[in-house]
Amino acid sequence: MGCCKNFIGTLVCTAILCGAGVVAYLYGPWNKDNDGGAEETSPTTTLTAKSSACENCCNGLESNCDLPIDQVTWAMVHNAMSSQDDSFYAANNDLSLEKALVEGYRGLMLDSCLCDGDNIIDVIQEYVTGNDEDSTEEKYLGFCHGSCGAGSRNPTTVLNNIKTFLDVNPNEVLIIEFEVGDGTLELLYQAINDSGLEKYVLRYEENDGTISTWPTFQQLISANRRLILFAHNGGMESCVTQTCPEGIFYTYDHFSQTSWNDGDTCDLRGNDNTVPDEHGFFLMNHWKNDENLDLPSKTNAEEFNTYEFLSTRFGKCKERLPNIVAVDFWNTGDVLKFVEDKNKEIGGGGDAVVAASRGGSIRH
């Protein structure tokens, strides 16, 4: 609207909008495979985990139960809010995070944003004109990636669905890692409390950034504290140096991770925790964007998410094997089978498995 003020401007706008049209066609929510779905995920969606048939299992395996939670392998959905199911442009996933939970993923990455009601056309116009002034519209919390105009999920719906999943699956433990957008930390914390998830959140008497040994799955299930929350950015800093919100751990107090857009090596990304300690979490970012558009690539996922590719990459991690694998297009490939097999190997590790006992106590 504001960019086509003259002939040259019209040409520029036309070129950009045509390009945007191609991207929208390729990456928009209507471009689904036959196994995709267009329905909106609601709190009434069936959220019974496929693993629930095993009454004595913890996250799908009996052998997990006596293991500390950082001594197993977790399958995690990268940018889990972003799916074609939920009408995101350039989505990271075909299917919703709720369906991922049902299938067996137990880790979610979510990005919090301040939204103002912009749509994709508003985003394009702001890019073209360079006018990124704050909207006068009242802002609200959303789960988006980069821009709410390219897709956003209502945190109330998402968090209520996660709570329902925990309600109906008492032997399942979840990890959520939040990338906190500017100005959203307090809103996010309030949304978590309003959802009723607070009763499931793992808390210690002191969240001081140091956990020498994590609890076992069975300890968390017995205490009914089956949700572990991590967060970074947006005001979250090390809990060693600041008072963190109760029940939310600072990600890089406990995580090291491989580099982004690197599907081949085990090289570490520079952050606050660059040594894969034997305790805590070592995250493998197992996804790679399209090299030309820098948008999520299902073609790459079809290669990366195969059993063979995962096995090869794990074999390159000499200091420590990753215990979290984050992927795009989670329903593509063999990720869940690979993770299950890794955990069966770990569960049969005999005296290599050490039961957890932390100096502090879990708050019930």
Side-chain angles (χ1 to χ4, degrees):
M1 191 167 69
C3 67
C4 302
K5 293 181 180 178
N6 52 49
F7 181 70
I8 298 298
T10 300
L11 292 177
V12 172
C13 284
T14 301
I16 291 175
L17 290 172
C18 284
V22 172
V23 171
Y25 173 76
L26 291 172
Y27 293 93
W30 42 78
N31 185 20
K32 303 181 190 301
D33 292 332
N34 291 331
D35 61 350
E39 73 277 6
E40 181 179 354
T41 307
S42 72
T44 58
T45 300
T46 300
L47 289 171
T48 302
K50 288 188 174 181
S51 59
S52 65
C54 178
E55 295 182 359
N56 296 319
C57 288
C58 303
N59 280 27
L61 291 174
E62 287 190 49
S63 57
N64 285 342
C65 293
D66 291 330
L67 293 172
I69 59 173
D70 65 330
Q71 299 299 309
V72 303
T73 309
W74 296 71
M76 178 173 277
V77 184
H78 177 234
N79 289 338
M81 66 282 158
S82 172
S83 74
Q84 291 194 26
D85 259 1
D86 294 296
S87 302
F88 275 67
Y89 292 88
N92 290 84
N93 301 283
D94 288 329
L95 306 181
S96 70
L97 65 89
E98 288 86 351
K99 292 176 182 176
L101 292 176
V102 170
E103 291 298 323
Y105 282 82
R106 295 295 174 263
L108 303 173
M109 289 177 163
L110 296 173
D111 295 3
S112 62
C113 310
L114 277 182
C115 301
D116 57 11
D118 280 359
N119 58 35
I120 189 63
I121 301 302
D122 296 321
V123 173
I124 294 170
Q125 286 189 333
E126 288 172 5
Y127 177 81
V128 171
T129 63
N131 179 12
D132 58 355
E133 294 180 4
D134 288 341
S135 169
T136 58
E137 299 288 334
E138 183 177 354
K139 291 180 170 54
Y140 55 91
L141 182 68
F143 289 147
C144 81
H145 185 59
S147 170
C148 298
S152 175
R153 289 208 62 185
N154 184 333
T156 298
T157 300
V158 172
L159 297 175
N160 283 346
N161 286 350
I162 293 171
K163 178 181 179 295
T164 299
F165 179 85
L166 290 170
D167 289 342
V168 300
N169 299 288
N171 289 341
E172 304 299 324
V173 179
L174 304 183
I175 289 176
I176 302 178
E177 203 285 313
F178 292 104
E179 182 172 327
V180 183
D182 290 343
T184 66
L185 183 58
E186 290 187 11
L187 292 172
L188 176 61
Y189 191 66
Q190 187 61 50
I192 293 168
N193 287 338
D194 289 347
S195 71
L197 277 172
E198 182 276 337
K199 71 176 184 177
Y200 290 122
V201 173
L202 174 63
R203 315 167 174 262
Y204 287 119
E205 297 296 335
E206 294 184 7
N207 181 11
D208 59 3
T210 59
I211 296 179
S212 58
T213 310
W214 289 88
T216 67
F217 283 91
Q218 191 58 62
Q219 286 173 326
L220 294 180
I221 290 167
S222 297
N224 207 22
R225 293 292 184 175
R226 296 180 287 116
L227 178 61
I228 304 100
L229 302 179
F230 297 93
H232 71 283
N233 289 354
M236 276 296 296
E237 297 178 5
S238 174
C239 302
V240 176
T241 60
Q242 72 164 24
T243 301
C244 289
E246 188 176 5
I248 301 181
F249 301 105
Y250 177 63
T251 301
Y252 299 127
D253 284 341
H254 308 286
F255 274 63
S256 52
Q257 64 174 328
T258 62
S259 297
W260 301 340
N261 276 315
D262 175 9
D264 186 53
T265 76
C266 220
D267 294 343
L268 293 177
R269 176 176 171 79
N271 55 45
D272 297 328
N273 186 7
T274 55
V275 179
D277 198 306
E278 70 174 293
H279 298 294
F281 298 93
F282 181 19
L283 166 65
M284 175 179 279
N285 289 302
H286 196 66
W287 49 269
K288 189 175 183 179
N289 287 348
D290 179 274
E291 292 184 359
N292 296 317
L293 297 173
D294 195 28
L295 294 174
S297 170
K298 187 170 183 178
T299 299
N300 286 341
E302 288 169 348
E303 178 185 10
F304 286 17
N305 294 359
T306 63
Y307 202 104
E308 181 180 5
F309 200 99
L310 284 159
S311 297
T312 299
R313 191 175 182 199
F314 261 62
K316 296 177 180 179
C317 299
K318 303 302 183 184
E319 291 188 47
R320 180 189 176 185
L321 290 179
N323 53 6
I324 300 181
V325 183
V327 299
D328 283 342
F329 299 98
W330 61 261
N331 60 311
T332 299
D334 312 306
V335 179
L336 289 175
K337 175 60 175 170
F338 176 81
V339 167
E340 180 184 37
D341 285 353
K342 295 302 293 184
N343 286 332
K344 286 179 178 178
E345 291 177 17
I346 295 167
D351 58 9
V353 176
V354 180
S357 58
R358 185 189 190 272
S361 57
I362 298 173
R363 183 179 297 178
H364 290 257

